[in-house]
Amino acid sequence: MNIAWGITGAGHLIKESFDVMDEISKNHKITSFLSKSGEEVIKAYGLWDLLDNISPGGYLEEIITPEKQGSSSPSTGRFFLGKYDLLIVSPATTNTVSKVVYGISDTLVSNAVSHATKSMINTYMVPVDKEEKIIETTIPYYLDKAICTKCSDCVAAEKCENDAIYSYTIDLLKCDACGRCIEYCIYNAIIGGKKLKMKVRKVDADNVKKLKKMEFIKVLNHPKELLELVGSSFNF
């Protein structure tokens, strides 16, 4: 089975989505469609190597990025050709959800949703902000400037193989979340895996309600629900 999978720039549910992707990829081909923000978040959470295993290359198993596709996103034309059995977007940011709801398709992922639904291909979406409530999420690695003593010789920076630490901050576009820097900072100024609470806005919850009413789109609460659905007939 050929599956298109859209990944947007959400840290919440990103690891859970990758766990499910990895499992599904054992029996099905997955083409990964990344938004620009999605590409950044994958790197920040140290998931790029896993994505390479999920979509190792070759036809219908590529990692497709905005840089490779440009604004026209030609690979999304595969939906019209019937190359994919379904589209999954997990995690789906509030930005992507609002664009889909209002018919905007100016990113690789929102364009994929537009093409899939026009082609009458079922689309499963896992929004990160579904209803008005407090949720808990895990943030990427960061350097706490309130703790950092600005050592003249920062061992963590010297040991970072990606040169992601400089000017007493962590560049998330270079960081791969390996965690080695934590070992080298004797002041414990580098934080990883911290959980925070945040409130889902009413406007975002309302957009999810609208999303649920759209044709050929099914909204799921958690990526793990996909494990059962992929083995079904995909009928909504």
Side-chain angles (χ1 to χ4, degrees):
M1 186 174 300
N2 299 321
I3 298 172
W5 197 302
I7 304 171
T8 64
H12 186 52
L13 295 180
I14 186 70
K15 291 185 178 180
E16 293 87 343
S17 295
F18 267 70
D19 287 342
V20 172
M21 284 180 77
D22 189 34
E23 185 64 28
I24 291 176
S25 69
K26 295 175 182 178
N27 297 303
H28 307 283
K29 288 185 176 182
I30 295 179
T31 305
S32 297
F33 289 86
L34 278 52
S35 69
K36 184 177 180 180
S37 296
E39 184 176 1
E40 295 171 356
V41 168
I42 290 168
K43 292 176 180 177
Y45 281 84
L47 294 168
W48 195 265
D49 287 344
L50 179 55
L51 186 63
D52 272 332
N53 291 329
I54 293 169
S55 298
Y59 187 53
L60 300 180
E61 289 187 293
E62 310 99 324
I63 298 173
I64 299 176
T65 65
E67 183 180 0
K68 295 178 181 178
Q69 288 291 292
S71 301
S72 60
S73 307
S75 62
T76 58
R78 293 177 180 175
F79 292 101
F80 294 125
L81 299 174
K83 298 298 182 180
Y84 296 113
D85 296 291
L86 76 158
L87 169 64
I88 295 169
V89 181
S90 178
T93 59
T94 56
N95 186 45
T96 296
V97 169
S98 63
K99 287 184 176 184
V100 171
V101 166
Y102 290 100
I104 300 171
S105 52
D106 61 351
T107 68
L108 188 55
V109 176
S110 60
N111 210 351
V113 175
S114 173
H115 282 54
T117 53
K118 287 179 181 179
S119 304
M120 297 175 286
I121 294 173
N122 290 339
T123 298
Y124 296 97
M125 297 183 67
V126 183
V128 293
D129 296 344
K130 292 174 282 294
E131 54 185 283
E132 280 189 271
K133 65 178 184 179
I134 305 296
I135 62 174
E136 188 175 73
T137 187
T138 304
I139 62 175
Y141 283 76
Y142 72 98
L143 195 152
D144 191 330
K145 294 182 182 295
I147 301 175
C148 178
T149 62
K150 296 186 176 179
C151 301
S152 56
D153 294 317
C154 178
V155 179
E158 293 173 359
K159 295 292 185 178
C160 179
E161 297 180 357
N162 297 318
D163 296 322
I165 304 174
Y166 54 88
S167 299
Y168 309 106
T169 190
I170 297 178
D171 186 343
L172 292 179
L173 298 183
K174 294 181 178 180
C175 175
D176 63 2
C178 70
R180 288 190 295 270
C181 54
I182 292 179
E183 302 173 13
Y184 297 114
C185 179
I186 62 174
Y187 296 101
N188 299 316
I190 298 176
I191 315 297
K194 185 175 182 179
K195 295 186 180 297
L196 297 177
K197 290 183 178 181
M198 56 176 285
K199 185 181 186 302
V200 177
R201 302 182 303 173
K202 182 178 184 301
V203 62
D204 298 322
D206 287 345
N207 281 336
V208 171
K209 292 178 182 178
K210 296 174 183 176
L211 186 69
K212 290 179 178 179
K213 297 178 181 179
M214 296 185 68
E215 193 174 17
F216 300 111
I217 292 179
K218 184 175 182 63
V219 175
L220 304 178
N221 292 317
H222 195 277
K224 64 183 179 182
E225 296 177 45
L226 292 161
L227 292 172
E228 294 182 8
L229 290 170
V230 167
S232 71
S233 60
F234 306 115
N235 292 323
F236 289 173

